[in-house]
Amino acid sequence: MNVTHLECALCALKHEARRLLNLCTKCGKPLLVRYDLEQAARSLTKESLRGRRADLWRYREVLPVDADEHIISLGEGWTPLLHARALGEQLGFRELYIKDESQNPTQSFKARGMAAAVSMAKELGAQKLAVPSAGNAAGALAAYAACAGLEAFIFMPKDTPRANVIECEQTGAHVTLVDGLITDCGAEVARRKDAEGWFDVSTLKEPYRIEGKKTLGYELAEQLDWELPDVIIYPTGGGTGLIGMWKAFDEMEQMGWIGSKRPKMVTVQAAGCAPIVRAFEAGKRFADEFPNAQTTASGLRVPRAIGDFLILDAIRASGGTAMAVTDEQLIAATREIGAAEGVFCAPEGAACLPALRKLVEAEQVGRDERVVLFNMGAGVKYLESFSS
Ligand SMILES: Cc1ncc(COP(=O)(O)O)c(C=O)c1O
Ligand SMILES: [Zn+2]
């Protein structure tokens, strides 16, 4: 297809594309896929998209899989961008939207990343895939590995929402619950992977999950008729959705689809685990590990992210910001969004609402701006977080 090479996101060292690789062989940072975008843009045009399949593979030319028959798909992507009229009215916004990722296979945006990563892992010959996960990535890996006929080895904190554990078991994965955080799960995968013959599909530790997630950016542009919103509010753990969208915007600009204007990228984290917020406020490019990480929004319980500098670079370049909200605020917001819009958000996604209120109060966002809140998963997976 159109892939030219892999490139280190920090030191820019080039790596060969058609090999199973994890991190940069020189500096240990994430590898990103680079394309011949001029060639891609010959067949991938705005007009050509009209008749294409209603999933993320509609952007085939800017996705890494070589042969069509290697695509492992459960119908991921092309999720609705809902116009949140009632909520918007309450807040005084005319153009408030929710990108509703709960409508993906396995009910979260992790399906996008795993569709791309598992397709590539299979194409390049891996047989056993391992992942540390806060929950939703695990469910997605289990499903896509099953669909691909590969084995999945999953490591999650022992207090991960039960729905995530059960879905992995019911889709045939090997599940290990770890007495610790996602970083401890990652260390366990790293320690055992060579001896066990596992390919590590940790987020941003292989180059392809982000390629699936970047389609969020392509979809957003297409659904808004090629005019990006003014503000994107993104619940950030590992940050790959945000980093992926930022990459998509650059690719679209290079293909001549959009101009150089970018949305303000806003990272929302939980007050009990806010390493990116701290680093942003301290003016740092790399984030320190957040001690004693704690939040009921399990996807935000990521005390250290390998893509920290990519998140922080994007926020700063866009004129955006980073902020924390409390668990009480995000749980209350879940009900508020649900009652106003009929969308039962994951608590991570609900965190976008108190964040928007703070942005308005601080006059960092105006009510005339077009704002998109990202709901990356389904509230129904988090029954432990809600009291009835
Ligand atoms: C529902 C939900 N929202 C948000 C996030 C955070 O996403 P990211 O890792 O891209 O920052 C996750 C990740 O686990 C998630 O499952
Ligand atoms: Zn490097």
Side-chain angles (χ1 to χ4, degrees), residues 131-182:
V131 81
S133 170
N136 283 324
L141 175 63
Y144 285 89
C147 184
L150 303 179
E151 267 186 286
F153 295 83
I154 282 162
F155 293 80
M156 290 182 278
K158 70 173 182 346
D159 51 356
T160 298
R162 234 171 89 69
N164 295 127
V165 178
I166 294 170
E167 68 180 333
C168 292
E169 291 168 351
Q170 295 303 315
T171 44
H174 307 276
V175 179
T176 305
L177 297 180
V178 174
D179 190 8
L181 296 169
I182 189 171

Side-chain angles (χ1 to χ4, degrees), residues 346-358:
E348 295 89 340
C352 296
L353 179 60
L356 177 58
R357 285 210 171 95
K358 282 191 182 188

Side-chain angles (χ1 to χ4, degrees), residues 8-13 15 24-31:
C8 174
L10 187 67
C11 79
L13 185 69
H15 294 65
C24 172
T25 51
K26 191 168 128 201
C27 75
K29 293 295 183 191
L31 294 173

Side-chain angles (χ1 to χ4, degrees), residues 109-110 136 234-241 299 346 348 376-377 382:
F109 80 120
K110 301 286 179 180
N136 283 324
Y234 187 83
T236 304
T240 28
E348 295 89 340
M376 312 312 281
Y382 297 74

Side-chain angles (χ1 to χ4, degrees), residues 46 49-59 75-81 99-101 103-105 112 212 215-226:
K46 292 179 186 175
L49 284 167
R50 283 202 194 105
R52 293 199 182 191
R53 55 193 282 180
D55 62 24
L56 63 77
W57 301 99
R58 63 199 280 108
Y59 309 110
E76 54 287 336
W78 204 240
T79 56
L81 181 67
K99 180 68 171 162
D100 188 17
E101 286 291 290
Q103 300 197 35
N104 276 298
R112 293 179 187 265
T215 58
L216 276 168
Y218 280 88
E219 275 180 33
L220 190 63
E222 189 175 356
Q223 289 173 324
L224 289 172
D225 206 15
W226 309 108

